[in-house]
Amino acid sequence: MQINVEAKPPASAAYDTRKKRLVETIDRLYLRDAKGSLQKMISRIHPADMAAILDDLPPAHIVDVFYAIADSAMAADVFNQLSPGLRTQVMTESPIEKLAGVLEHLPPDDLADLIGDLPEDQRAELMALLGRESKDEVESLLQYDPNSAGGIMTTDFFSLSHTLTIEEAIENIRNREDVEMVFYLYLTDEAGRLVGVVSLRQLLLTRSGTPLHKVMNRRVMKVTTDADQTTVAMLVDKYRLLAIPVVDEDNVLVGMVTVDDVIDVIEEETTRDMLKMAGTSESETLTHSAFKIAGIRLPWLLAAFVGGLAATAVIGQYEAILGEVLVLSAFLPVVMGMAGNVGVQSATVAVRGLATGAIDVRDTVPLVLKELRVGLVLGSFYGVILAIYGYLVHHSLQLGQVVGLTILGNMTGAALLAVLLPMIFQRLKVDPAVATGPFVTTAIDILGVLNYFVIASWIYKL
Protein backbone atom coordinates (compact mmCIF):
# COMPACT_ATOMS: atom_id res chain seq x y z
CA MET A 1 0.00 0.00 0.00
CA GLN A 2 1.46 3.38 -1.04
CA ILE A 3 1.13 5.99 1.67
CA ASN A 4 0.81 9.63 0.65
CA VAL A 5 3.03 11.55 3.05
CA GLU A 6 2.58 15.00 1.52
CA ALA A 7 2.20 17.53 4.30
CA LYS A 8 -1.28 19.03 4.51
CA PRO A 9 -2.94 21.39 6.95
CA PRO A 10 -3.98 19.28 9.98
CA ALA A 11 -7.43 20.88 10.00
CA SER A 12 -8.27 19.88 6.41
CA ALA A 13 -10.96 17.29 5.72
CA ALA A 14 -8.60 15.39 3.40
CA TYR A 15 -5.97 15.10 6.13
CA ASP A 16 -8.52 13.92 8.69
CA THR A 17 -9.92 11.31 6.29
CA ARG A 18 -6.46 9.98 5.42
CA LYS A 19 -5.46 9.90 9.07
CA LYS A 20 -8.61 8.00 10.05
CA ARG A 21 -7.98 5.44 7.30
CA LEU A 22 -4.37 4.98 8.44
CA VAL A 23 -5.41 4.56 12.08
CA GLU A 24 -7.94 1.89 11.13
CA THR A 25 -5.49 0.06 8.86
CA ILE A 26 -2.63 0.12 11.37
CA ASP A 27 -4.86 -1.08 14.19
CA ARG A 28 -6.23 -3.86 12.01
CA LEU A 29 -2.71 -5.02 11.06
CA TYR A 30 -1.72 -4.93 14.74
CA LEU A 31 -4.71 -7.05 15.79
CA ARG A 32 -3.88 -9.58 13.05
CA ASP A 33 -0.27 -9.68 14.27
CA ALA A 34 0.92 -8.87 10.73
CA LYS A 35 4.25 -7.47 11.92
CA GLY A 36 5.95 -7.37 8.52
CA SER A 37 3.13 -5.48 6.83
CA LEU A 38 2.76 -3.20 9.82
CA GLN A 39 6.45 -2.27 9.83
CA LYS A 40 6.48 -1.73 6.09
CA MET A 41 3.46 0.56 6.27
CA ILE A 42 4.78 2.57 9.20
CA SER A 43 8.13 3.09 7.46
CA ARG A 44 6.34 5.10 4.74
CA ILE A 45 4.62 7.49 7.13
CA HIS A 46 6.12 10.80 8.19
CA PRO A 47 7.14 10.81 11.90
CA ALA A 48 4.84 13.76 12.67
CA ASP A 49 1.89 11.91 11.11
CA MET A 50 2.83 8.73 12.96
CA ALA A 51 2.77 10.60 16.27
CA ALA A 52 -0.73 11.86 15.47
CA ILE A 53 -1.86 8.34 14.48
CA LEU A 54 -0.61 6.88 17.79
CA ASP A 55 -2.71 9.48 19.59
CA ASP A 56 -5.86 8.03 17.99
CA LEU A 57 -5.10 4.35 18.60
CA PRO A 58 -6.69 2.45 21.51
CA PRO A 59 -4.50 3.09 24.60
CA ALA A 60 -3.74 -0.61 25.03
CA HIS A 61 -2.20 -0.81 21.52
CA ILE A 62 -0.07 2.35 21.53
CA VAL A 63 3.18 1.04 23.01
CA ASP A 64 3.26 -2.13 20.91
CA VAL A 65 2.57 -0.17 17.70
CA PHE A 66 5.24 2.35 18.67
CA TYR A 67 7.83 -0.42 18.94
CA ALA A 68 6.72 -1.75 15.56
CA ILE A 69 8.73 1.15 14.13
CA ALA A 70 11.74 -0.77 12.88
CA ASP A 71 14.07 2.21 12.40
CA SER A 72 15.26 3.42 15.82
CA ALA A 73 16.06 6.89 14.47
CA MET A 74 12.50 7.22 13.16
CA ALA A 75 11.14 5.90 16.46
CA ALA A 76 13.10 8.60 18.29
CA ASP A 77 11.70 11.25 15.95
CA VAL A 78 8.15 9.98 16.52
CA PHE A 79 8.71 9.85 20.28
CA ASN A 80 9.95 13.45 20.24
CA GLN A 81 6.68 14.57 18.62
CA LEU A 82 4.29 12.67 20.89
CA SER A 83 2.01 14.59 23.23
CA PRO A 84 3.26 14.72 26.85
CA GLY A 85 0.61 12.21 27.92
CA LEU A 86 1.54 9.64 25.26
CA ARG A 87 5.24 10.15 25.89
CA THR A 88 4.70 9.39 29.56
CA GLN A 89 2.70 6.28 28.68
CA VAL A 90 5.44 4.97 26.37
CA MET A 91 8.10 5.57 29.01
CA THR A 92 6.03 4.02 31.78
CA GLU A 93 5.04 0.88 29.88
CA SER A 94 8.37 0.25 28.10
CA PRO A 95 11.17 -2.05 29.25
CA ILE A 96 13.99 0.31 30.21
CA GLU A 97 16.48 -1.39 27.85
CA LYS A 98 14.13 -1.03 24.89
CA LEU A 99 13.42 2.59 25.73
CA ALA A 100 17.12 3.40 26.03
CA GLY A 101 17.68 2.02 22.52
CA VAL A 102 15.22 4.57 21.13
CA LEU A 103 16.25 7.52 23.28
CA GLU A 104 19.87 7.00 22.24
CA HIS A 105 18.89 8.50 18.86
CA LEU A 106 17.32 11.67 20.26
CA PRO A 107 19.23 14.95 19.76
CA PRO A 108 21.35 15.66 22.87
CA ASP A 109 19.30 18.72 23.90
CA ASP A 110 15.97 16.86 23.66
CA LEU A 111 17.39 13.86 25.51
CA ALA A 112 18.72 16.09 28.28
CA ASP A 113 15.31 17.81 28.65
CA LEU A 114 13.58 14.45 28.86
CA ILE A 115 15.97 12.93 31.40
CA GLY A 116 16.00 16.12 33.44
CA ASP A 117 12.23 15.79 33.99
CA LEU A 118 12.46 12.20 35.26
CA PRO A 119 12.48 11.21 38.95
CA GLU A 120 15.97 10.66 40.33
CA ASP A 121 15.76 6.83 40.39
CA GLN A 122 14.49 6.57 36.79
CA ARG A 123 17.05 9.10 35.63
CA ALA A 124 19.93 7.08 37.08
CA GLU A 125 18.58 3.82 35.63
CA LEU A 126 18.22 5.28 32.15
CA MET A 127 21.56 7.07 32.22
CA ALA A 128 23.28 3.78 33.08
CA LEU A 129 21.98 2.25 29.84
CA LEU A 130 23.03 5.09 27.55
CA GLY A 131 26.23 4.92 25.53
CA ARG A 132 29.26 6.82 26.80
CA GLU A 133 28.94 9.58 24.18
CA SER A 134 25.24 10.19 24.84
CA LYS A 135 25.77 10.06 28.59
CA ASP A 136 28.58 12.64 28.46
CA GLU A 137 26.50 14.98 26.30
CA VAL A 138 23.47 14.71 28.58
CA GLU A 139 25.51 15.26 31.73
CA SER A 140 27.13 18.36 30.24
CA LEU A 141 23.73 19.81 29.30
CA LEU A 142 22.06 18.99 32.63
CA GLN A 143 24.44 21.32 34.45
CA TYR A 144 22.74 24.32 32.85
CA ASP A 145 19.47 25.97 33.80
CA PRO A 146 16.80 24.38 31.55
CA ASN A 147 15.51 27.87 30.65
CA SER A 148 18.94 29.16 29.60
CA ALA A 149 20.82 29.01 26.30
CA GLY A 150 22.92 26.18 27.74
CA GLY A 151 19.77 24.27 28.65
CA ILE A 152 18.21 24.42 25.17
CA MET A 153 21.36 24.21 23.02
CA THR A 154 22.54 21.14 21.18
CA THR A 155 26.13 19.97 21.41
CA ASP A 156 25.76 18.30 18.02
CA PHE A 157 27.24 21.23 16.09
CA PHE A 158 29.80 21.56 13.32
CA SER A 159 32.87 23.77 13.53
CA LEU A 160 36.23 24.00 11.78
CA SER A 161 39.56 25.71 12.27
CA HIS A 162 39.72 29.15 10.65
CA THR A 163 43.09 28.23 9.11
CA LEU A 164 41.59 25.69 6.67
CA THR A 165 40.89 26.48 3.02
CA ILE A 166 37.49 26.51 1.33
CA GLU A 167 38.21 23.18 -0.35
CA GLU A 168 39.23 21.54 2.94
CA ALA A 169 36.12 22.87 4.64
CA ILE A 170 33.82 21.44 1.95
CA GLU A 171 35.55 18.06 2.21
CA ASN A 172 35.05 18.09 5.98
CA ILE A 173 31.32 18.76 5.54
CA ARG A 174 31.00 15.85 3.10
CA ASN A 175 32.43 13.52 5.70
CA ARG A 176 30.01 14.62 8.45
CA GLU A 177 26.58 13.36 7.42
CA ASP A 178 25.39 13.20 11.03
CA VAL A 179 25.60 16.94 11.64
CA GLU A 180 22.28 18.57 12.53
CA MET A 181 22.80 21.79 10.55
CA VAL A 182 25.55 23.26 8.39
CA PHE A 183 23.81 26.36 7.03
CA TYR A 184 26.35 28.24 9.10
CA LEU A 185 29.93 27.07 9.50
CA TYR A 186 31.39 28.21 12.81
CA LEU A 187 35.14 28.81 12.85
CA THR A 188 37.39 28.45 15.90
CA ASP A 189 41.01 29.05 16.81
CA GLU A 190 43.44 26.54 18.31
CA ALA A 191 41.85 26.88 21.77
CA GLY A 192 38.32 26.28 20.46
CA ARG A 193 37.31 29.94 20.81
CA LEU A 194 34.72 31.22 18.35
CA VAL A 195 36.39 33.64 15.93
CA GLY A 196 34.07 33.80 12.92
CA VAL A 197 31.28 32.34 10.82
CA VAL A 198 30.84 31.53 7.14
CA SER A 199 27.51 30.75 5.47
CA LEU A 200 27.14 27.65 3.32
CA ARG A 201 26.30 29.86 0.32
CA GLN A 202 29.47 31.90 0.81
CA LEU A 203 31.47 28.68 1.12
CA LEU A 204 30.26 27.41 -2.25
CA LEU A 205 30.76 30.71 -4.09
CA THR A 206 34.35 31.34 -2.94
CA ARG A 207 37.42 30.03 -4.76
CA SER A 208 38.62 26.70 -3.39
CA GLY A 209 42.13 27.77 -2.33
CA THR A 210 40.98 30.74 -0.23
CA PRO A 211 41.63 30.44 3.55
CA LEU A 212 38.47 30.58 5.65
CA HIS A 213 39.76 33.46 7.78
CA LYS A 214 39.88 35.63 4.64
CA VAL A 215 36.13 35.38 4.01
CA MET A 216 34.68 34.77 7.47
CA ASN A 217 32.48 37.26 9.27
CA ARG A 218 34.25 38.16 12.53
CA ARG A 219 31.20 39.88 14.05
CA VAL A 220 29.36 36.74 15.11
CA MET A 221 25.94 36.99 16.74
CA LYS A 222 26.33 34.72 19.78
CA VAL A 223 25.03 34.10 23.30
CA THR A 224 26.57 32.77 26.49
CA THR A 225 25.42 29.60 28.21
CA ASP A 226 23.66 31.54 30.97
CA ALA A 227 21.61 33.74 28.62
CA ASP A 228 17.86 33.46 29.17
CA GLN A 229 16.03 31.40 26.54
CA THR A 230 13.69 34.32 25.84
CA THR A 231 16.67 36.51 24.98
CA VAL A 232 17.96 33.82 22.62
CA ALA A 233 14.56 33.56 20.92
CA MET A 234 14.35 37.34 20.51
CA LEU A 235 17.81 37.48 18.90
CA VAL A 236 17.04 34.66 16.46
CA ASP A 237 13.72 36.29 15.58
CA LYS A 238 15.14 39.81 15.24
CA TYR A 239 18.09 38.87 13.04
CA ARG A 240 16.27 36.05 11.17
CA LEU A 241 18.89 33.45 12.06
CA LEU A 242 18.65 29.71 11.46
CA ALA A 243 20.94 29.03 14.42
CA ILE A 244 22.92 30.96 17.01
CA PRO A 245 26.20 29.74 18.58
CA VAL A 246 26.56 29.37 22.34
CA VAL A 247 29.89 30.09 24.06
CA ASP A 248 31.15 29.80 27.63
CA GLU A 249 32.74 32.57 29.70
CA ASP A 250 36.05 32.08 27.80
CA ASN A 251 34.33 32.41 24.38
CA VAL A 252 34.86 28.69 23.71
CA LEU A 253 32.19 27.32 21.38
CA VAL A 254 30.15 24.74 23.32
CA GLY A 255 26.93 24.39 21.33
CA MET A 256 24.27 26.09 19.23
CA VAL A 257 20.58 26.81 19.44
CA THR A 258 18.67 26.01 16.25
CA VAL A 259 15.53 27.68 14.98
CA ASP A 260 13.31 24.66 15.78
CA ASP A 261 14.28 24.98 19.46
CA VAL A 262 13.55 28.71 19.29
CA ILE A 263 10.08 28.00 17.93
CA ASP A 264 9.48 25.71 20.93
CA VAL A 265 10.67 28.47 23.29
CA ILE A 266 8.40 31.07 21.67
CA GLU A 267 5.43 28.71 21.89
CA GLU A 268 6.21 27.89 25.52
CA GLU A 269 6.67 31.53 26.54
CA THR A 270 3.56 32.67 24.67
CA THR A 271 1.47 29.93 26.25
CA ARG A 272 2.81 30.78 29.70
CA ASP A 273 2.07 34.50 29.26
CA MET A 274 -1.45 33.88 27.98
CA LEU A 275 -2.17 31.53 30.89
CA LYS A 276 -0.88 34.10 33.35
CA MET A 277 -3.07 36.80 31.82
CA ALA A 278 -6.02 34.42 32.03
CA GLY A 279 -5.36 34.02 35.74
CA THR A 280 -3.88 30.54 35.86
CA SER A 281 -0.44 29.00 35.68
CA GLU A 282 -0.79 25.50 34.29
CA SER A 283 -1.69 24.37 30.79
CA GLU A 284 -2.62 20.75 31.38
CA THR A 285 -5.98 21.60 32.91
CA LEU A 286 -7.70 18.75 31.06
CA THR A 287 -5.67 16.27 33.08
CA HIS A 288 -6.55 17.84 36.43
CA SER A 289 -9.61 17.33 38.59
CA ALA A 290 -12.17 20.09 39.04
CA PHE A 291 -10.83 20.78 42.56
CA LYS A 292 -7.25 21.02 41.25
CA ILE A 293 -8.27 23.50 38.54
CA ALA A 294 -10.27 25.54 41.06
CA GLY A 295 -7.26 25.61 43.38
CA ILE A 296 -5.04 26.94 40.58
CA ARG A 297 -7.45 29.72 39.62
CA LEU A 298 -8.71 30.72 43.06
CA PRO A 299 -5.79 33.00 44.13
CA TRP A 300 -5.84 34.87 40.82
CA LEU A 301 -9.57 35.55 41.07
CA LEU A 302 -9.18 37.02 44.56
CA ALA A 303 -7.97 40.36 43.21
CA ALA A 304 -10.97 40.62 40.88
CA PHE A 305 -13.25 39.64 43.77
CA VAL A 306 -11.82 42.36 46.00
CA GLY A 307 -12.16 44.84 43.15
CA GLY A 308 -15.79 43.85 42.72
CA LEU A 309 -16.45 44.44 46.41
CA ALA A 310 -14.81 47.86 46.16
CA ALA A 311 -16.99 48.73 43.15
CA THR A 312 -20.04 47.58 45.13
CA ALA A 313 -19.01 49.89 47.96
CA VAL A 314 -18.78 52.80 45.50
CA ILE A 315 -22.28 52.05 44.21
CA GLY A 316 -23.52 51.95 47.79
CA GLN A 317 -22.28 55.50 48.31
CA TYR A 318 -24.49 56.66 45.44
CA GLU A 319 -27.71 54.86 46.35
CA ALA A 320 -29.49 58.20 46.51
CA ILE A 321 -28.74 58.91 42.86
CA LEU A 322 -30.01 55.47 41.82
CA GLY A 323 -33.16 56.11 43.85
CA GLU A 324 -33.76 59.39 42.03
CA VAL A 325 -32.79 58.16 38.54
CA LEU A 326 -33.45 54.41 38.51
CA VAL A 327 -32.72 54.09 34.79
CA LEU A 328 -29.00 54.69 35.48
CA SER A 329 -28.66 51.11 36.73
CA ALA A 330 -29.81 49.79 33.33
CA PHE A 331 -26.76 51.30 31.63
CA LEU A 332 -24.17 50.01 34.10
CA PRO A 333 -23.44 46.77 32.18
CA VAL A 334 -22.72 48.50 28.87
CA VAL A 335 -20.56 51.33 30.22
CA MET A 336 -18.52 48.87 32.30
CA GLY A 337 -18.39 46.13 29.68
CA MET A 338 -17.08 48.39 26.91
CA ALA A 339 -14.35 49.76 29.17
CA GLY A 340 -13.35 46.22 30.15
CA ASN A 341 -13.09 45.15 26.51
CA VAL A 342 -10.86 48.10 25.63
CA GLY A 343 -8.71 47.31 28.67
CA VAL A 344 -8.24 43.68 27.62
CA GLN A 345 -7.27 44.70 24.07
CA SER A 346 -4.74 47.32 25.17
CA ALA A 347 -3.29 45.12 27.94
CA THR A 348 -2.82 42.19 25.55
CA VAL A 349 -0.92 44.38 23.08
CA ALA A 350 1.28 45.86 25.83
CA VAL A 351 2.07 42.57 27.61
CA ARG A 352 2.77 40.73 24.36
CA GLY A 353 4.99 43.57 23.14
CA LEU A 354 7.01 43.53 26.36
CA ALA A 355 7.33 39.73 26.21
CA THR A 356 8.64 39.70 22.63
CA GLY A 357 10.82 42.77 22.97
CA ALA A 358 8.78 44.74 20.40
CA ILE A 359 7.99 47.26 23.16
CA ASP A 360 10.45 48.65 25.69
CA VAL A 361 9.88 50.61 28.91
CA ARG A 362 11.48 53.57 27.13
CA ASP A 363 8.50 53.57 24.76
CA THR A 364 6.09 54.35 27.61
CA VAL A 365 5.32 57.98 26.73
CA PRO A 366 4.67 57.53 22.97
CA LEU A 367 2.71 54.33 23.64
CA VAL A 368 0.55 56.00 26.30
CA LEU A 369 -0.14 58.96 24.00
CA LYS A 370 -1.06 56.61 21.18
CA GLU A 371 -3.46 54.60 23.38
CA LEU A 372 -4.92 57.89 24.63
CA ARG A 373 -5.82 58.80 21.07
CA VAL A 374 -7.22 55.31 20.43
CA GLY A 375 -9.34 55.50 23.59
CA LEU A 376 -10.64 58.95 22.66
CA VAL A 377 -11.60 57.83 19.15
CA LEU A 378 -13.36 54.68 20.35
CA GLY A 379 -14.96 56.43 23.33
CA SER A 380 -16.24 59.27 21.17
CA PHE A 381 -17.72 56.88 18.63
CA TYR A 382 -19.57 54.71 21.12
CA GLY A 383 -20.31 57.67 23.40
CA VAL A 384 -22.26 59.44 20.66
CA ILE A 385 -24.15 56.25 19.80
CA LEU A 386 -25.04 55.53 23.44
CA ALA A 387 -26.01 59.16 24.09
CA ILE A 388 -28.41 59.13 21.12
CA TYR A 389 -29.81 55.77 22.22
CA GLY A 390 -30.36 56.99 25.80
CA TYR A 391 -32.09 60.14 24.57
CA LEU A 392 -34.35 58.43 22.01
CA VAL A 393 -35.37 55.46 24.16
CA HIS A 394 -35.82 57.23 27.49
CA HIS A 395 -36.61 60.74 26.18
CA SER A 396 -34.02 62.26 28.48
CA LEU A 397 -31.29 64.61 27.30
CA GLN A 398 -29.58 64.41 30.69
CA LEU A 399 -29.43 60.60 30.56
CA GLY A 400 -27.90 60.76 27.09
CA GLN A 401 -25.26 63.18 28.34
CA VAL A 402 -24.42 61.00 31.36
CA VAL A 403 -24.01 57.71 29.49
CA GLY A 404 -22.24 59.35 26.54
CA LEU A 405 -19.67 61.16 28.68
CA THR A 406 -19.22 58.12 30.93
CA ILE A 407 -18.42 55.71 28.12
CA LEU A 408 -16.03 58.28 26.62
CA GLY A 409 -14.21 58.67 29.94
CA ASN A 410 -14.25 54.97 30.81
CA MET A 411 -12.95 53.72 27.46
CA THR A 412 -10.22 56.36 27.36
CA GLY A 413 -9.22 55.66 30.95
CA ALA A 414 -9.25 51.89 30.39
CA ALA A 415 -6.94 52.20 27.37
CA LEU A 416 -4.53 54.34 29.40
CA LEU A 417 -4.53 52.10 32.47
CA ALA A 418 -4.15 48.91 30.44
CA VAL A 419 -0.97 50.13 28.76
CA LEU A 420 0.44 52.14 31.68
CA LEU A 421 0.20 49.40 34.34
CA PRO A 422 2.26 46.78 32.41
CA MET A 423 4.96 49.41 31.87
CA ILE A 424 5.02 50.21 35.59
CA PHE A 425 5.19 46.52 36.51
CA GLN A 426 8.03 46.00 34.03
CA ARG A 427 9.98 48.86 35.57
CA LEU A 428 9.37 47.45 39.06
CA LYS A 429 10.69 44.04 37.87
CA VAL A 430 7.26 42.44 38.34
CA ASP A 431 6.07 40.07 35.60
CA PRO A 432 3.48 42.12 33.63
CA ALA A 433 1.71 38.97 32.45
CA VAL A 434 0.93 37.97 36.04
CA ALA A 435 -0.02 41.32 37.50
CA THR A 436 -1.71 43.12 34.61
CA GLY A 437 -4.92 41.09 34.35
CA PRO A 438 -6.15 41.32 37.98
CA PHE A 439 -5.00 44.91 38.53
CA VAL A 440 -6.35 46.28 35.25
CA THR A 441 -9.73 44.62 35.79
CA THR A 442 -9.98 45.88 39.36
CA ALA A 443 -8.90 49.43 38.51
CA ILE A 444 -11.28 49.70 35.56
CA ASP A 445 -14.21 48.43 37.65
CA ILE A 446 -13.65 50.82 40.55
CA LEU A 447 -12.78 53.92 38.54
CA GLY A 448 -15.46 53.19 35.94
CA VAL A 449 -18.24 53.01 38.51
CA LEU A 450 -16.92 56.11 40.31
CA ASN A 451 -16.71 58.04 37.03
CA TYR A 452 -20.30 57.04 36.13
CA PHE A 453 -21.84 58.34 39.33
CA VAL A 454 -19.69 61.47 39.53
CA ILE A 455 -20.83 62.47 36.04
CA ALA A 456 -24.44 61.57 36.92
CA SER A 457 -24.25 63.71 40.08
CA TRP A 458 -22.89 66.62 38.06
CA ILE A 459 -25.44 66.39 35.21
CA TYR A 460 -28.48 65.77 37.42
CA LYS A 461 -27.18 68.18 40.08
CA LEU A 462 -27.85 65.64 42.85
Side-chain angles (χ1 to χ4, degrees), residues 335-336 338-344 346-347 368 371-380 405-422 439-445 447-448 451:
V335 296
M336 299 304 299
M338 292 301 292
N341 286 330
V342 170
V344 169
S346 299
V368 165
E371 285 298 322
L372 175 62
R373 293 194 295 270
V374 171
L376 284 171
V377 170
L378 293 173
S380 300
L405 288 173
T406 299
I407 205 167
L408 169 62
N410 283 7
M411 292 181 75
T412 304
L416 280 174
L417 281 172
V419 74
L420 194 57
L421 285 176
F439 278 94
V440 166
T441 303
T442 301
I444 289 174
D445 285 348
L447 296 178
N451 182 50

Side-chain angles (χ1 to χ4, degrees), residues 149-150 184 186-189 192-197 217-228 231-236 239 241 243-257:
Y184 304 126
Y186 300 119
L187 307 178
T188 58
D189 61 14
R193 292 185 292 264
L194 181 64
V195 294
V197 63
N217 180 2
R218 299 178 184 273
R219 299 179 62 184
V220 187
M221 185 64 61
K222 59 189 176 183
V223 293
T224 56
T225 53
D226 59 352
D228 186 82
T231 302
V232 178
M234 288 167 58
L235 285 173
V236 171
Y239 294 101
L241 303 173
I244 189 167
V246 183
V247 298
D248 63 13
E249 63 274 8
D250 298 319
N251 198 42
V252 174
L253 182 63
V254 294
M256 68 174 181
V257 178

Side-chain angles (χ1 to χ4, degrees), residues 394-411:
H394 296 280
H395 310 291
S396 171
L397 180 60
Q398 289 176 307
L399 178 65
Q401 291 175 325
V402 170
V403 296
L405 288 173
T406 299
I407 205 167
L408 169 62
N410 283 7
M411 292 181 75

